[in-house]
Amino acid sequence: MSDLRLELKEKIIKQLNLEDLSVEDIQNDDFLFGDEIGLDSIDALELIVMLEKDFGIKLTDPAQGKEVFTSIETLAQFIEKNA
Amino acid sequence: MKRDWYITSSVKLKKHQIFKDDELIFKTEPHISTQDFLKEAYRFFGINYPKFHKMDVLCKLGMIASCVLKEEYPKDTALVFQNASSSEVSDTQHQESIHNFPSPATFVYTLPNIVMGELSIKHELQSENAFFVAEDFQAQFIQNYTQSLLEQKKASAAICGWLEANLDDYYLFLNYIEPRGMHIFSAETLLEKYTQ
């Protein structure tokens, strides 16, 4: 697992208080929103804050967020491209 | 029509201890943090509700208490709560973060009545609710307001009491009120149980 993907999983578990999940429970392609990981709209806002605070990336287009936050893999690719 | 209502169950959370109907049913070491106490209680009572971990301390207190108080509630169970510090803990956290990166997850808890929404979602309540802020527990006022809802058939049962969390401490005292039982629902009984 790449360091960035592992880092993202650790950050998401910590910052979103996903106490019942461990890094091993989140696969790179799991849907973050919906049945698999179960994030909600407030979590989406937290992820936007995390992108800006930890990676210096401002997400300004809401439509873009839907694709970027699909999974750990899409999020990592977006960061690699824009950081 | 004026009739008697009854307190059929009570729960109290204070000093890292949980009492149900005056009996100590759970406690932790007193030196651990309030958050750790609440997390241990969540596990001890087998509450399976992952969203619990995202909640602020006021909501966590209410959630634990409501799960201890009774397993299931009628859909029209009214919620009538009171405290002194409103949502001070979340308000302060939000204020401290506002010049840096405010957290949306903290901001959403900067109102005391959010706890009622969380309890309504968890227990699938579609009911009357009211959260009052006052310096001290006003047993007579809470009793009057709750009884009025019951008598007007706005609710068939109610959870009422005191749900306080501030920067230094917490104190929770909730009661389940319904048409039949042993202990008459009165301001005197409420106050006596609150101060015990």
Side-chain angles (χ1 to χ4, degrees):
Chain A
M1 192 188 302
S2 79
D3 286 349
L4 176 59
R5 284 150 185 82
L6 177 63
E7 183 187 347
L8 285 172
K9 290 177 188 180
E10 288 170 343
K11 277 183 191 295
I12 285 174
I13 287 171
K14 186 163 181 262
Q15 292 186 16
L16 305 185
N17 293 315
L18 305 177
E19 296 263 343
D20 295 339
L21 289 182
S22 65
V23 165
E24 291 75 27
D25 295 325
I26 306 176
Q27 304 305 311
N28 288 349
D29 292 327
D30 280 350
F31 288 116
L32 294 176
F33 295 84
D35 291 342
E36 286 172 334
I37 307 300
L39 303 189
D40 60 24
S41 56
I42 301 299
D43 295 323
L45 293 172
E46 286 289 343
L47 290 178
I48 292 170
V49 171
M50 182 190 83
L51 269 183
E52 186 173 346
K53 187 171 68 170
D54 297 346
F55 299 98
I57 302 170
K58 268 194 177 179
L59 198 66
T60 49
D61 179 6
Q64 195 182 18
K66 199 174 172 185
E67 283 175 29
V68 171
F69 297 134
T70 301
S71 64
I72 291 290
E73 187 57 39
T74 57
L75 183 54
Q77 285 177 12
F78 178 76
I79 292 168
E80 284 164 347
K81 204 169 152 189
N82 293 279
Chain B
M1 191 179 82
K2 198 102 176 150
R3 53 158 296 177
D4 285 332
W5 296 83
Y6 297 87
I7 302 173
T8 56
S9 184
S10 296
V11 64
K12 192 176 277 182
L13 275 74
K14 63 175 184 178
K15 299 184 191 313
H16 290 14
Q17 301 172 99
I18 300 178
F19 298 84
K20 184 176 182 188
D21 300 330
D22 304 325
E23 184 188 339
L24 179 65
I25 58 169
F26 177 77
K27 69 173 182 177
T28 64
E29 294 296 326
H31 62 267
I32 69 171
S33 71
T34 300
Q35 289 289 2
D36 285 343
F37 159 69
L38 292 167
K39 195 190 295 182
E40 286 196 26
Y42 170 86
R43 288 179 181 149
F44 179 80
F45 292 111
I47 302 167
N48 184 18
Y49 196 63
K51 204 184 167 200
F52 174 86
H53 301 294
K54 297 169 187 267
M55 295 175 186
D56 74 341
V57 67
L58 201 62
C59 291
K60 284 182 178 177
L61 284 165
M63 189 58 66
I64 298 275
S66 70
C67 290
V68 169
L69 192 62
K70 212 168 153 15
E71 279 184 20
E72 288 184 355
Y73 296 93
K75 272 195 186 314
D76 65 343
T77 300
L79 305 173
V80 184
F81 295 171
Q82 190 173 47
N83 80 3
S85 302
S86 185
S87 51
E88 180 187 82
V89 178
S90 289
D91 294 351
T92 305
Q93 285 173 355
H94 180 61
Q95 188 179 34
E96 284 169 355
S97 71
I98 210 159
H99 298 300
N100 190 13
F101 283 93
S103 160
T106 302
F107 175 70
V108 293
Y109 289 107
T110 56
L111 281 173
N113 56 328
I114 300 300
V115 62
M116 301 179 137
E118 294 285 15
L119 297 193
S120 297
I121 294 168
K122 169 73 174 78
H123 299 294
E124 298 179 353
L125 307 181
Q126 296 171 1
S127 58
E128 294 285 333
N129 63 57
F131 199 117
F132 300 98
V133 177
E135 282 186 14
D136 300 301
F137 180 47
Q138 298 170 317
Q140 187 67 65
F141 174 78
I142 293 297
Q143 194 269 341
N144 284 346
Y145 191 91
T146 305
Q147 184 137 345
S148 164
L149 289 175
L150 295 165
E151 281 172 6
Q152 291 177 56
K153 301 195 187 305
K154 305 264 187 195
S156 65
I159 303 172
C160 72
W162 181 255
L163 207 176
E164 164 73 2
N166 55 49
L167 295 173
D168 301 319
D169 206 357
Y170 63 89
Y171 190 99
L172 178 144
F173 165 63
L174 293 181
N175 304 274
Y176 185 65
I177 316 299
E178 57 184 329
R180 283 168 291 280
M182 294 279 285
H183 305 286
I184 294 249
F185 177 45
S186 68
E188 292 74 26
T189 319
L190 268 187
L191 201 55
E192 188 188 321
K193 282 175 167 284
Y194 171 76
T195 48
Q196 264 174 4

